[in-house]
Amino acid sequence: MPAPGPDAHPERPDWTIDQGWQNYTAQQHAVWKTLFERQTQLLVGRACDQFVAGMRQLPISAGQIPDFHALSDVLMQRTGWQVVAVPGLVPDEVLFEHLANRRFPAGNFIRTPKNLDYLEEPDVFHDVFGHVPMLMNPVIADYIQAYGKG
């Protein structure tokens, strides 16, 4: 699933889409695995304890791109959050509305192998690996919701 073009228009007012997990290819899961293994090695001595704990508690592994439904099930039980798929960057007002309602918008596409090191907009790896583990911490989860409301 490539990133949407600049002329993409949402079908839904909240910009959410189906993740389409079953549509990820073996190559896309392999990109996730490469990124996951590389970034996991960098966590030691750099990531805070809350992030590491969140990673351990969530159904996230190198083996495959996470299913947002499985992530949401765990998050909902712990902090009342869910992950919702979006096609890429969303307008600020849409982002803040999601956060205010304990929904974390995550891109449903993943970068290509040639873009492992840099991508202009956040993809599923950036959003899920980089942000979602912190939502397992109740204090941070509440703060992000308050940030969205503010």
Side-chain angles (χ1 to χ4, degrees):
M1 285 170 264
D7 298 325
H9 298 285
E11 290 183 24
R12 301 174 188 156
D14 66 359
W15 286 65
T16 60
I17 58 174
D18 293 325
Q19 181 186 11
W21 189 90
Q22 69 283 357
N23 298 322
Y24 291 121
T25 65
Q27 181 183 18
Q28 289 169 322
H29 287 294
V31 167
W32 171 273
K33 180 177 180 171
T34 298
L35 292 167
F36 186 96
E37 290 175 347
R38 185 170 72 177
Q39 290 304 115
T40 300
Q41 291 176 6
L42 297 174
L43 294 179
V44 178
R46 291 184 175 101
C48 66
D49 293 342
Q50 293 83 357
F51 182 90
V52 174
M55 285 290 291
R56 281 193 207 118
Q57 297 164 356
L58 286 167
I60 297 177
S61 69
Q64 61 188 15
I65 297 168
D67 181 325
F68 291 179
H69 294 293
L71 289 175
S72 294
D73 287 346
V74 174
L75 282 166
M76 187 61 74
Q77 290 178 8
R78 176 81 172 144
T79 61
W81 276 78
Q82 60 183 313
V83 179
V84 296
V86 294
L89 289 174
V90 299
D92 289 347
E93 62 274 6
V94 172
L95 170 67
F96 294 129
E97 179 69 21
H98 281 300
L99 298 179
N101 290 286
R102 295 178 103 83
R103 296 185 304 261
F104 188 82
N108 76 325
F109 68 96
I110 192 158
R111 64 194 78 182
T112 63
K114 70 178 184 170
N115 293 330
L116 285 179
D117 293 321
Y118 177 75
L119 195 64
E120 283 189 38
E121 65 180 323
D123 67 347
V124 67
F125 184 78
H126 170 96
D127 289 334
V128 172
F129 187 97
H131 297 291
V132 171
M134 293 301 289
L135 295 174
M136 288 293 288
N137 181 286
V139 172
I140 293 170
D142 290 346
Y143 173 79
I144 297 298
Q145 181 184 25
Y147 178 73
K149 285 181 178 181

